[in-house]
Every structure is written in structure tokens, then in C-alpha cells.
Amino acid sequence: MTYLLHECLQKSAERAPDTVAVVDGERSLTYAELDGLTNRLANLLVERGVRKGDRVGLYIRKSLEAVVGVYGILKAGCAYVPLDPEAPVERLAYIIGNCGIEHVVTGADRNEAWSELAARSPGLRSFIVLDAADPLPTAPTSVDVLTAAAVEQQAGDRPRVTVIDRDLGIILYTSGSTGQPKGVMLSHENVMNFVCWAVQEFEVGESDRLSQIAPLHFDLSTFDIYGAALAGASVHLAPRQATMFPMQMRRFLEEHEITVMYAVPSVLTMLVERAKLEVGSLPALRTILFAGEVFPSKFLSRIMRVLPDVEFANLYGPTETNVCTYYRVTEPPSEEDPPISIGAAIDNLETFVVGPDGSVLPPGEVGELYVRGASVMLGYWGDPERTARTRVPNPFVEGLDDPVYRTGDLVREEPDGNYTFLGRRDNQIKSRGYRIELGDIEAAIYRHPDVVECAVVAIPDEQITNRLKAFIATETDLGLHELVSSLSQHLPKYMIPGEFEFRSALPKTTTGKIDRQALTQSAIQENQ
């Protein structure tokens, strides 16, 4: 049986009401407490006039309140849209307008942005502040601002909203090649297909303690939250500082006795390189799952040797399918080995390699990976043309409503049935686990009036997969500080290049296009 996303919480609340569901530092909620709070938030949203299928923003740092927001929105029959707390207001306002958000569940520490968000978002009707008991003096006057008191006044019964597994549950905005983010629409079924498989495959049970490391606008977060609830386990929210400082991550894992950890390889690389781990460290930890970027063999080998009793698995998949393949790593690879396999399809999905002529390729040949099955997204919000280019009718079965997703990833099927990932067929890269369109960054750079030409290239980096370097052609004395300040108004921090080079002109190919290959090679050589 496949549950709806919020039914994971409801079933555990019925089965084990007094079990701890979520832990945030010194604070925690049992399943009964979490169920009751989320019912109240859902009832408040219904009272505010939300209808099934509406989109509700979630503009709040990772916290108990954020988890309440997730489930409360879902119980109201709506889809939640995580808004990156670190993103510029301009980008957030675009998302709010793009998918018609009228209500935003937020935290008091975000109040400095509310007025500007309200001014840029004429359709916005209310902010619901889950961690504030009293009206805030800086609250905007153009929209309603409701506090935790308004939530507490609602009935604790579950709202009577009918939702089925194909209904929209989440919209995750990712980098877009047009200069604006694109909203990936995921149904309850899309997410739960992976969650149910993972809980069973890795034997997650009531005694487990899962870490929650990824931000809510990153698809990795779905396993931690819903996997824990499905199993009746507890999920422990890692503080933001732990993702930046390896010793803090180690202390978090130790103090919370984490048993199942899911993270991007760059977090694990920093952990093994800088957190002074040794054999015998983290004795409670039994499973490490990693995804989001390539894990260099030398760093994977080192952490596997330091944690010999931990099982490791590589999970692969774009946001549009969540995880679609996996590979259990049973032995530490040689440090000189190429990156490990991305494995084979998880349950209830089919994957195949397709050549340029549209035919399925045999093992050994390189082609694009296609995915079909329950995890394939509903599409991109408000963008039927983009949806039609990537979520296409199954070309190999006629007469069925059976979409497949074209990942854009080049792979090769090996004789054992596992896939080797070989790269992208477009201009998209990964850095620190984030999927980034280089064109998105270039569009933001071009916003500065003094920029004549620009090109952003990716420089391979063993620890974070890729570093970003921007080449800028300008005819003025444009300064680095001025440019970075401009970019911070349009891009989240992880998309701002770490290196800039100013030139009078950029090299061109024989067709007059910017010679990106020459710039990339130049950047790589300078870093050797």
C-alpha cells in the first residue's frame, strides 16, 4: 500500500502517539503532538480559504515549525513550495508569482523580507508565523499576518479534505536555463514511490534515528522526513552550521546517535577529511546514503575504511524523478578508481538507454537515460512546452498514458546491468549537491549594465564536484565587490561563482560564439 505523504504521520500517530517524531536541538515533538499541531495549521489554512491543489509557500528555516508547516499544508489538500531562506527576495517573489502562492507559512526571523515580498507579490494574502505568539511590529500592512496563537485556536481534528496519490504534493524550484527557476511538480505518489522503497530496502524501523541535513527546497529532504514518519522512527534536524563545519557535523551525529544518514558527497568528504574520524567513531551509525553529485573514489574509500561497519549506497536521480537508481557499495574502491556506478532501477521504475536516433541501446553503448514509472514528475509548473520536451510519451509502447522522463544524463549500461554515469548532454552541472544551469548564472550577470559579455564555466573539484568561474568582458572599471553585490540580489549563494576574471573581450569560435571550451581549459590549467 502507498500512503499519501501526510498519512505517514497520521499512521504513526495512531500506532505510537508518544514516540518522538522530530528533534530540533533541545526541542522535540511526539507523533501525537506533531499530528495535533499540523491538524490545527491545516484547519487555519482551510479557514483562510485555501482549496485543494492550491500552492502554499514555506519560507522558514529548518526547525520543528518547518516540519509542522510541511504536514499542515499537505493536510489542507495543498502543495507546499519551499522558499530558500537564503535566496534573494527577487527570486522568491518570482516563485510566489509564478505558481500563484497566496499564503506563506514562515518564521519570525524572516520578517525583514516580508514587506518587500508583499510589495513584489500582489496576489499574496497572508503570512502565517509559526514561531511568534504576538503580532510583530515590522509586519507589512498590505497582507494579513497571523501568529502561532491563530493556529492554537483551531480545532485539533483532521480537516475533511479528500486527496489521492496523484494529486500535487510539492513543487521544488530548481535552476532554469532561461534565467528563471523552474518548478518541478511532484505528486504524493512520485515521492512515496521512492520513500516506501527506501524504508524497506534499508530496513528503517522504529528504533532508527534519521538525520535531516538537506534543506527543504532540496529533494534529498523528502526521504528524511517521510521515511522517518513511515517507519515510526525519529528525524533529527541538523543545524545549518553543521553542514559548513565538519566538527559540528560529527558532534551532531554523535550527540543524536544517528543511525541513518543521507547527505551529498561533499558533506561526507568534509566529514572524513576534517572531522578527525577514526575507526570506532560514530558507533550508532549503520547506514550512509549519498546522492546529488559524484563521490570521488578516494574520499569514498577513506570514509568507508574509517567506518567499516556502516553500509553505503549511492542513490541517483534528478529532482524530476527523485531517486530512480541505486548501487550498494560493498567494498571500499581503490583511490585511483573512476567514480562508482549509479546502479540499476529501484522498484516500480524502469530505466533504459536511448540513442540519438530514439532507439534503445544495448549494454556497452552510450546514450541518454530515460525513466518511466511512478516517480516521474507531473511536469513543470506553468511551462507545458518545457514539460513536453522532457516528460514525453513512452516511445516504445503505443496507446498508453505512460510518460517517460528524459534525464539529459549520458550513461552506459554495463554487462552486470548497472549504469555508469558519464556526464550531461546540456549546460547543467552539479556543485555541492545543487543542480545548476550555467545559463541561469549568466543571465544574472548580464543584468549588470557594465557587462558586455560573460561566460560561466565549471572547474572539476574533488570535494564539491565543480567550482564556478565567471569570465567577464567589460569596458569600464567594474569592480568585483560591485558585481558580487549585484548578483546577490538575483541568485542564491550557492550559484554565485567563487572566481571571476575580467577581460576586455572573450575568445570566439569560428562561428562567432563565445569559445567556452577555451575558457574552461584556461580555467583548469590555471588551477593545476
Side-chain angles (χ1 to χ4, degrees):
M1 175 183 177
T2 299
Y3 292 141
L4 302 173
L5 293 169
H6 51 281
E7 285 181 339
C8 296
L9 166 60
Q10 293 171 181
K11 298 298 182 183
S12 285
E14 295 169 355
R15 185 172 61 244
D18 298 326
T19 296
V20 172
V22 57
V23 178
D24 178 14
E26 299 298 319
R27 302 188 302 154
S28 65
L29 290 171
T30 66
Y31 275 104
E33 291 169 336
L34 181 59
D35 192 41
L37 281 171
T38 54
N39 288 342
R40 289 183 168 85
L41 174 58
N43 285 321
L44 176 61
L45 287 168
V46 171
E47 182 182 272
R48 298 290 299 173
V50 302
R51 300 175 301 277
K52 186 171 73 171
D54 281 357
R55 286 72 55 206
V56 176
L58 190 65
Y59 185 43
I60 189 170
R61 294 190 185 278
K62 187 165 41 178
S63 58
L64 293 182
E65 289 78 14
V67 179
V68 170
V70 164
Y71 282 116
I73 293 168
L74 291 169
K75 286 183 175 183
C78 301
Y80 69 92
V81 186
L83 302 171
D84 180 1
E86 306 301 322
V89 169
E90 179 187 45
R91 193 177 184 89
L92 301 180
Y94 170 80
I95 293 172
I96 289 172
N98 181 248
C99 65
I101 291 174
E102 296 184 352
H103 306 277
V104 173
V105 173
T106 185
D109 67 338
R110 301 288 87 199
N111 69 317
E112 292 184 358
W114 294 345
S115 292
E116 187 175 354
L117 274 178
R120 289 173 174 265
S121 311
L124 198 58
R125 293 173 52 199
S126 68
F127 289 108
I128 301 173
V129 193
L130 294 184
D131 58 357
D134 299 311
L136 298 172
T138 58
T141 57
S142 58
V143 300
D144 295 334
V145 178
L146 308 175
T147 65
V151 177
E152 293 167 359
Q153 293 170 3
Q154 297 294 317
D157 300 332
R158 295 169 187 163
R160 295 182 178 180
V161 180
T162 300
V163 178
I164 65 172
D165 59 2
R166 285 174 286 178
D167 285 336
L168 181 63
I170 314 173
I171 301 181
L172 297 176
Y173 275 80
T174 67
S175 179
S177 58
T178 62
Q180 297 289 6
K182 56 182 183 288
V184 179
M185 297 189 292
L186 300 175
S187 69
H188 290 254
E189 179 188 38
N190 292 158
V191 178
M192 287 306 300
N193 188 66
F194 160 61
V195 170
C196 291
W197 167 83
V199 166
Q200 181 176 3
E201 179 68 24
F202 300 107
E203 299 180 334
V204 181
E206 295 178 359
S207 61
D208 276 310
R209 303 159 73 92
L210 281 66
S211 62
Q212 210 283 307
I213 297 171
L216 294 176
H217 60 276
F218 198 177
D219 59 331
L220 268 68
S221 66
T222 58
F223 166 72
D224 307 323
I225 293 175
Y226 304 114
L230 180 63
S234 58
V235 61
H236 299 246
L237 311 181
R240 183 167 174 264
Q241 293 84 350
T243 63
M244 299 181 287
F245 300 103
M247 286 302 297
Q248 291 196 33
M249 178 61 74
R250 175 177 175 170
R251 283 195 290 272
F252 164 75
L253 297 171
E254 289 174 335
E255 292 172 2
H256 290 262
E257 297 181 307
I258 297 299
T259 61
V260 180
M261 179 184 187
Y262 188 23
V264 295
S266 55
V267 168
L268 299 172
T269 294
M270 294 296 187
L271 186 66
V272 72
E273 290 294 291
R274 301 182 183 177
K276 301 179 181 178
L277 294 181
E278 56 189 23
V279 176
S281 297
L282 309 177
L285 193 59
R286 68 172 183 86
T287 299
I288 289 180
L289 310 176
F290 55 91
E293 59 191 347
V294 174
F295 201 160
S297 291
K298 70 177 183 180
F299 297 120
L300 175 58
S301 178
R302 290 172 194 175
I303 195 169
M304 290 187 71
R305 294 182 190 282
V306 171
L307 303 174
D309 298 324
V310 174
E311 66 170 340
F312 287 79
N314 183 20
L315 308 184
Y316 157 86
T319 302
E320 288 84 348
T321 67
N322 208 310
V323 169
C324 57
T325 71
Y326 83 111
Y327 182 78
R328 285 183 178 269
V329 190
T330 56
E331 297 291 338
S334 168
E335 294 202 4
E336 294 75 31
D337 284 349
I340 60 167
S341 170
I342 61 171
I346 70 169
D347 292 350
N348 205 28
L349 291 183
E350 181 183 10
T351 53
F352 35 93
V353 184
V354 179
D357 64 351
S359 63
V360 175
L361 298 177
E365 295 193 24
V366 176
E368 182 181 358
L369 185 65
Y370 281 38
V371 183
R372 67 178 289 261
S375 294
V376 173
M377 67 167 182
L378 298 177
Y380 298 107
W381 178 266
D383 196 342
E385 292 183 5
R386 185 193 296 271
T387 298
R389 290 196 300 269
T390 58
R391 186 182 183 270
V392 301
N394 189 335
F396 311 111
V397 179
E398 295 183 2
L400 293 179
D401 181 16
D402 181 35
V404 299
Y405 177 68
R406 300 181 58 186
T407 66
D409 288 340
L410 298 177
V411 301
R412 179 180 60 242
E413 184 179 355
E414 305 298 347
D416 62 0
N418 290 310
Y419 295 114
T420 297
F421 173 79
L422 300 171
R424 291 288 301 174
R425 63 172 177 81
D426 54 22
N427 206 28
Q428 186 183 96
I429 61 101
K430 286 276 184 91
S431 181
R432 302 182 190 276
Y434 288 99
R435 190 173 68 173
I436 297 170
E437 293 278 358
L438 298 182
D440 198 357
I441 304 173
E442 292 172 356
I445 294 174
Y446 273 118
R447 286 173 177 261
H448 196 286
D450 292 342
V451 172
V452 178
E453 294 180 314
C454 75
V456 178
V457 302
I459 307 169
D461 185 285
E462 289 185 324
Q463 294 195 3
I464 62 172
T465 305
N466 286 289
R467 289 183 291 112
L468 300 174
K469 180 171 182 176
F471 291 89
I472 312 292
T474 179
E475 297 176 351
T476 67
D477 294 326
L478 175 61
L480 177 60
H481 177 76
E482 179 185 348
L483 180 58
V484 171
S485 177
S486 173
L487 291 179
S488 67
Q489 303 303 310
H490 308 296
L491 299 174
K493 291 180 180 178
Y494 67 84
M495 290 179 66
I496 297 178
E499 299 177 42
F500 292 81
E501 182 173 329
F502 293 89
R503 298 184 176 188
S504 59
L506 301 186
K508 305 295 192 298
T509 66
T510 55
T511 59
K513 298 179 180 179
I514 295 174
D515 193 341
R516 297 175 183 277
Q517 185 175 355
L519 292 172
T520 302
Q521 199 61 35
S522 170
I524 293 173
Q525 289 175 353
E526 288 178 5
N527 284 269
Q528 289 179 343

